[in-house]
Amino acid sequence: MKKQKSRMGGGKIMASLILLLGSLAYVMVFAVINGSLGFICSMGVTVFGAVGVAKALGEQIALSYGWIIGLAVGLGALRGGLRFIEQYCNHYIAFKLLAVLRDKIFTALRRLCPAKLESKQKGSIIAMLTSDIETLEVFYAHTVSPICIAITVSTAVFLFVGFVSSWWLSLVALAGFIAVGIVAPMISSSAMRDAGVKYRACFAAFNAYFLDSIKGIKDIVLNNAGDIRKKEVSERSEELLDHTHELKYKIANATAVTEFTVSLMTLIATGVAVALAVAGVISVGKAVIGVVAIFGSFGPVIAISALPGNLTQTFASGDRVLRLLKEKPVVEKVENGEKFSFENLEVKDMSFGYEKDAKVLEDICMRARRGEIVGIVGESGCGKSTLLKLLMRFWSKDSGEINYNGNEIEKVDSDNLLDNVTMVSQTTYLFDETIEENLRIAKENATDEELEKACRQASIHDFISEMPEGYKTRAGALGDNLSAGEKQRIGLARAFLRGSGLILLDEPTSNVDSINEGIILKSLAEQKKDKAIILVSHRESTMAIAERVYRIENGKIAEVR
Ligand SMILES: Nc1ncnc2c1ncn2[C@@H]1O[C@H](COP(=O)(O)OP(=O)(O)OP(=O)(O)O)[C@@H](O)[C@H]1O
Ligand SMILES: [Mg+2]
């Protein structure tokens, strides 16, 4: 297993996430411009109020009262329009991004599968597809633009107060913005981060435990372990509540610190303005305008002061998504590789291990050709399924050769390989679609006759026909009512439908009674005329139809019949 690399730095994650935006970045810039202008307009309403007051106090102001009121009202209305455009852009980005990110992750997964989905990180992939993407949506829609808006608005206020009122007041405003937007969040964030991390870890663990308990409820009831589970659930729920309290307490503290800083800074600004006016440095009117402008300008920095709690989580999500997008697949897809039409398979001295230094299979030699049924037996866990997956190139062998018609497997065109070799794995997944659609994933344009023929060969046609809607019955509607054997036979029917030259069957009849097994084996025997079939099974009765049988033991293979 590769060692988990430590997390990238916050700045680097943020930069990489912004690069992912692509052309949506322009929309974001447009949203930031509108958001900033909107904020400035809303401040304009109060500032023009102050201008009116300043004029009444005798300040020389070229605008008439009519103009002042008109401008204030006009800016108010404009603020509405700009806010609408900003919100529209932000939501446009957010929803587009959900689609773009999901698409990128699915593309990455397609590259990485199937090895990736077999790994132990399966759970984290599901988390990524759901919660990480949602978190990132919040990042794009509600983190980047508030930061940009805060910087733009603060700069605008700094310049406005400086030019119109006094640069001393401007400096007070600047100190306020830094205190509220940077210093206060930094002080409270370290305390909040710990509480946030603990809360989220506890929340995730609780969810996982609860979900696991629901999935396994049948086994809980069968083992009469309900009371123990219930006790554990309520203990975990208490623990979660404690963490929630702690986090809320810290958030409330942080909010109080922010509010206090804002009040303090406005108080200082008022004091400085009064002192400047008294000293005759600026007129009373200018002092009023400056103070009112500062009063209304803390909104954007308050918005960023609320961010740090989310940012740790955002960076963790961003890190996971970026890492997945960059991950190299265990097996690279071969495009425009060599093509073949299956005649024979030859495996020579092939070795493989999922982890370095722990070989599952060693020096495997085996062969199969058109017209043969080849059996593979061995104890549970000896590597039978692993061998079949290597023949499909779901994983890459470490050494030795796997040749199809003399072509080295690593050079064979990946799509061509999947057309030539079909595998029925130990468990068949049925989609929540009709039985017919479930079969058609093997061959999209199969005729009804072909479907029926494949189902007869897999000894499942009669069962399907007896259902109220036959082939149109939804598999999901049957829920767990399809037995393991029935699912297995639908899996077999899919394989027959594909019509590949080599079929790999992993325990195809383990859950099937002997009458149905007989039917399936008979159709396998009929099909072998123009195919090769490699059959993994524990059953002696199944192995009876094989021309040749290999046994895997302690990683080695031997021809036993
Ligand atoms: N994705 C994986 N990552 C790491 N180890 C794995 C993985 N898949 C299987 N193994 C291990 O490799 C060994 C061989 O597994 P495999 O599934 O091939 O056995 P099997 O012969 O098919 O067993 P069974 O008869 O029970 O199906 C086992 O020890 C198993 O735990
Ligand atoms: Mg197996």
Side-chain angles (χ1 to χ4, degrees):
M1 282 293 277
K2 267 183 260 162
K3 249 178 69 181
Q4 276 275 339
K5 275 183 244 129
S6 61
R7 224 185 73 179
M8 287 190 270
K12 202 167 164 203
I13 295 179
M14 221 162 174
S16 310
L17 287 176
I18 290 174
L19 280 182
L20 279 187
L21 271 173
S23 58
L24 283 175
Y26 299 111
V27 186
M28 186 171 276
V29 170
F30 191 58
V32 169
I33 293 173
N34 281 286
S36 305
L37 287 178
F39 230 106
I40 291 168
C41 283
S42 80
M43 281 170 52
V45 177
T46 41
V47 168
F48 274 105
V51 169
V53 173
K55 192 176 169 82
L57 288 171
E59 192 73 28
Q60 279 293 69
I61 285 166
L63 296 170
S64 69
Y65 285 113
W67 265 103
I68 292 174
I69 294 171
L71 278 170
V73 172
L75 285 177
L78 193 59
R79 151 79 167 162
L82 290 168
R83 179 91 177 136
F84 173 83
I85 298 173
E86 182 211 349
Q87 289 292 311
Y88 187 90
C89 291
N90 273 342
H91 286 92
Y92 176 83
I93 297 170
F95 291 119
K96 270 269 183 217
L97 252 167
L98 283 181
V100 170
L101 280 176
R102 286 200 180 107
D103 193 52
K104 279 188 192 289
I105 291 184
F106 275 118
T107 313
L109 282 178
R110 281 185 62 147
R111 219 166 19 86
L112 297 171
C113 278
K116 179 81 183 175
L117 277 186
E118 278 199 359
S119 69
K120 288 158 196 145
Q121 309 149 340
K122 195 169 166 178
S124 73
I125 295 172
I126 292 170
M128 187 178 303
L129 286 173
T130 51
S131 60
D132 282 349
I133 294 185
E134 298 287 334
T135 313
L136 289 184
E137 186 255 331
V138 174
F139 169 74
Y140 287 113
H142 308 291
T143 308
V144 181
S145 48
I147 292 177
C148 298
I149 291 174
I151 294 172
T152 319
V153 172
S154 304
T155 314
V157 171
F158 176 78
L159 295 175
F160 173 79
V161 174
F163 281 115
V164 173
S165 178
S166 152
W167 287 103
W168 289 111
L169 271 181
S170 265
L171 287 178
V172 174
L174 185 64
F177 298 148
I178 292 173
V180 176
I182 301 175
V183 182
M186 268 166 78
I187 294 170
S188 47
S189 86
S190 58
M192 227 150 77
R193 190 179 304 140
D194 282 350
V197 168
K198 273 193 220 139
Y199 166 77
R200 276 184 295 274
C202 185
F203 186 62
F206 179 80
N207 272 352
Y209 187 82
F210 199 76
L211 215 64
D212 201 32
S213 303
I214 290 180
K215 275 193 206 149
I217 202 151
K218 197 175 74 193
D219 292 78
I220 293 173
V221 173
L222 289 178
N223 290 292
N224 199 16
D227 286 340
I228 304 172
R229 279 266 153 179
K230 209 166 91 185
K231 192 160 154 269
E232 177 76 22
V233 167
S234 81
E235 276 172 14
R236 281 169 182 253
S237 144
E238 285 296 325
E239 194 191 347
L240 183 61
L241 197 63
D242 287 344
H243 285 297
T244 315
H245 278 153
E246 195 191 333
L247 183 65
K248 295 284 174 206
Y249 179 76
K250 297 261 162 73
I251 292 175
N253 264 347
T255 315
V257 169
T258 306
E259 296 291 335
F260 176 75
T261 319
V262 171
S263 307
L264 189 69
M265 293 320 291
T266 44
L267 209 64
I268 294 175
T270 315
V272 171
V274 169
L276 289 172
V278 169
V281 180
I282 51 171
S283 64
V284 175
K286 283 189 173 177
V288 171
I289 295 174
V291 168
V292 168
I294 294 174
F295 272 17
S297 65
F298 282 100
V301 275
I302 292 177
I304 40 171
S305 76
L307 295 177
N310 302 331
L311 275 188
T312 1
Q313 198 187 2
T314 307
F315 287 159
S317 294
D319 189 50
R320 278 193 290 270
V321 170
L322 290 168
R323 207 187 282 274
L324 182 88
L325 296 185
K326 275 195 274 182
E327 191 169 323
K328 288 250 172 301
V330 179
V331 179
E332 293 275 1
K333 187 171 182 187
V334 179
E335 292 189 73
N336 304 318
E338 291 179 34
K339 304 230 161 87
F340 72 104
S341 172
F342 180 79
E343 284 301 330
N344 62 66
L345 159 76
E346 174 130 38
V347 181
K348 275 192 253 171
D349 304 323
M350 191 268 296
S351 299
F352 172 77
Y354 289 100
E355 308 190 11
K356 269 203 164 60
D357 313 323
K359 290 267 171 276
V360 175
L361 296 170
E362 265 190 290
D363 302 326
I364 301 293
C365 293
M366 65 162 294
R367 65 203 150 82
R369 61 179 164 78
R370 199 179 266 268
E372 276 185 342
I373 295 182
V374 173
I376 296 177
V377 295
E379 278 171 19
S380 177
C382 70
K384 304 180 295 295
S385 301
T386 304
L387 176 59
L388 297 192
K389 285 175 200 162
L390 287 162
L391 297 180
M392 297 283 297
R393 204 165 165 260
F394 281 5
W395 294 86
S396 261
K397 61 188 166 49
D398 296 335
S399 60
E401 286 177 31
I402 299 177
N403 295 330
Y404 285 105
N405 298 5
N407 297 307
E408 172 51 23
I409 191 168
E410 312 283 333
K411 297 200 179 100
V412 168
D413 190 272
S414 297
D415 288 332
N416 186 243
L417 181 67
L418 289 178
D419 285 342
N420 274 282
V421 190
T422 298
M423 179 163 100
V424 180
S425 66
Q426 273 170 291
T427 47
T428 296
Y429 185 80
L430 293 185
F431 296 93
D432 184 14
E433 293 167 359
T434 62
I435 300 277
E436 182 183 332
E437 285 164 323
N438 263 294
L439 289 163
R440 277 189 200 280
I441 67 156
K443 189 174 179 186
E444 205 182 341
N445 50 5
T447 62
D448 290 350
E449 289 71 35
E450 283 176 310
L451 288 183
E452 189 181 321
K453 185 176 163 215
C455 288
R456 281 189 192 281
Q457 288 171 334
S459 191
I460 189 75
H461 171 73
D462 291 344
F463 171 78
I464 297 173
S465 309
E466 278 163 20
M467 285 193 283
E469 291 174 80
Y471 281 80
K472 303 275 184 225
T473 311
R474 284 184 81 89
L478 299 168
D480 280 343
N481 296 339
L482 271 179
S483 75
E486 285 149 6
K487 278 192 197 160
Q488 210 169 26
R489 284 179 279 160
I490 291 178
L492 265 176
R494 277 180 182 158
F496 294 155
L497 205 54
R498 271 189 74 73
S500 306
L502 173 62
I503 301 184
L504 312 176
L505 302 176
D506 202 347
E507 305 273 9
T509 55
S510 57
N511 293 308
V512 174
D513 60 41
S514 50
I515 297 176
N516 283 309
E517 184 188 26
I519 300 173
I520 292 168
L521 293 180
K522 190 164 156 275
S523 57
L524 287 183
E526 278 166 16
Q527 290 191 47
K528 79 170 183 188
K529 284 192 291 285
D530 56 349
K531 282 186 200 316
I533 295 166
I534 298 182
L535 194 58
V536 167
S537 180
H538 286 292
R539 286 200 194 172
E540 283 303 321
S541 56
T542 313
M543 281 302 144
I545 66 161
E547 261 79 31
R548 200 167 48 256
V549 178
Y550 294 97
R551 169 175 291 278
I552 302 181
E553 209 166 7
N554 299 325
K556 307 273 186 195
I557 199 165
E559 197 171 322
V560 289
R561 204 185 74 209

